Amino acid sequence: MKKLAFFIFLVLVGLKVNAQSVTDSVWVSPKKELTKFAKAVNALGQKNIFNGQLITIFAPDNEAFDKLPASKIDSLLMPTNKAILTTLLNSHIIQGKLTSVDIAKAIHNGGGQAAFTTLAGTKLVAKINPNRNIILIDENGGQSIIKTFNISQGNIEVFIIDSVFLPKI
C-alpha cells in the first residue's frame, strides 16, 4: 500500500519519467505550484507502476508547505523518516475518484458535512464554509481550503489544497 501511495502522488503532480531506464529516471513536476509536494514524493525514492485504482488526492501546494517550519520539512525528507513521510502523504489520499460535485453532494446528504477515510486511516471532514469554499478538516482540527478542483489524470482526481495535513504519528 505504501508503494501504491507513492506512485499515486507521482501521477497526481503529473510527474514525467525521462526516456531513460526507470532506475535512471528523474521525476519532474510540470506544475509550479506542486514542486515542494513533488520533492516530498521524491524523498521516498521509489518508482513503481500505478495499478489503476481509482483515487482522489488532495495535494498541498508550495504555499502550504511554506506554512510548515523549515526544520519540520527537512526532518520529513530525511531517509530515516520515510515511514512518517509515507503516512503524511497517505493522509492526503482517499480511495475512489471523486469530483467536486460528488463532494458537495456528500456534504449536502450528510447534513452539512461528509467524512472520508484516507489511505493512512485518518479521517478528513469536508464542509462548505460561509464563503462557499469546500474546506477539509483533519483529525487534529487542521483546516485546508480546496483551491483548485477536478484535475483529472486517468484514474485519479486531483484537488490542490492550501495546507498540509499533519496526522498524529
Side-chain angles (χ1 to χ4, degrees), residues 8 11 50-57 94-98 151-158:
I8 292 167
V11 174
F50 181 58
N51 72 357
Q53 182 179 5
L54 298 175
I55 59 164
T56 300
I57 304 174
I94 60 174
Q95 288 188 332
K97 185 174 177 180
L98 301 175
I151 304 169
S152 289
Q153 296 188 353
N155 297 330
I156 299 172
E157 195 72 19
V158 178

Side-chain angles (χ1 to χ4, degrees), residues 4-76:
L4 169 63
F6 173 74
F7 189 78
I8 292 167
F9 277 99
L10 295 178
V11 174
L12 159 70
V13 294
L15 299 173
K16 298 178 182 176
V17 179
N18 291 340
Q20 302 162 338
S21 73
V22 172
T23 56
D24 296 330
S25 297
V26 176
W27 299 103
V28 180
S29 172
K31 300 250 183 213
K32 289 182 182 179
E33 67 265 32
L34 296 176
T35 56
K36 292 182 181 183
F37 180 75
K39 183 176 181 179
V41 171
N42 289 334
L44 294 177
Q46 302 171 21
K47 299 173 184 84
N48 295 300
I49 298 173
F50 181 58
N51 72 357
Q53 182 179 5
L54 298 175
I55 59 164
T56 300
I57 304 174
F58 300 104
D61 64 8
N62 291 341
E63 292 175 1
F65 281 97
D66 289 343
K67 294 177 187 178
L68 298 176
S71 61
K72 179 87 167 172
I73 295 171
D74 291 342
S75 175
L76 285 170

Side-chain angles (χ1 to χ4, degrees), residues 147-168:
K147 294 171 68 173
T148 305
F149 296 86
N150 304 331
I151 304 169
S152 289
Q153 296 188 353
N155 297 330
I156 299 172
E157 195 72 19
V158 178
F159 295 83
I160 298 176
I161 59 175
D162 72 348
S163 296
V164 177
F165 298 124
L166 298 173
K168 295 176 185 176

Side-chain angles (χ1 to χ4, degrees), residues 73-106:
I73 295 171
D74 291 342
S75 175
L76 285 170
L77 298 178
M78 294 176 62
T80 55
N81 290 328
K82 281 185 180 183
I84 295 169
L85 182 58
T86 299
T87 299
L88 183 137
L89 295 176
N90 281 340
S91 296
H92 293 82
I93 304 172
I94 60 174
Q95 288 188 332
K97 185 174 177 180
L98 301 175
T99 66
S100 58
V101 171
D102 297 327
I103 294 171
K105 280 183 183 177

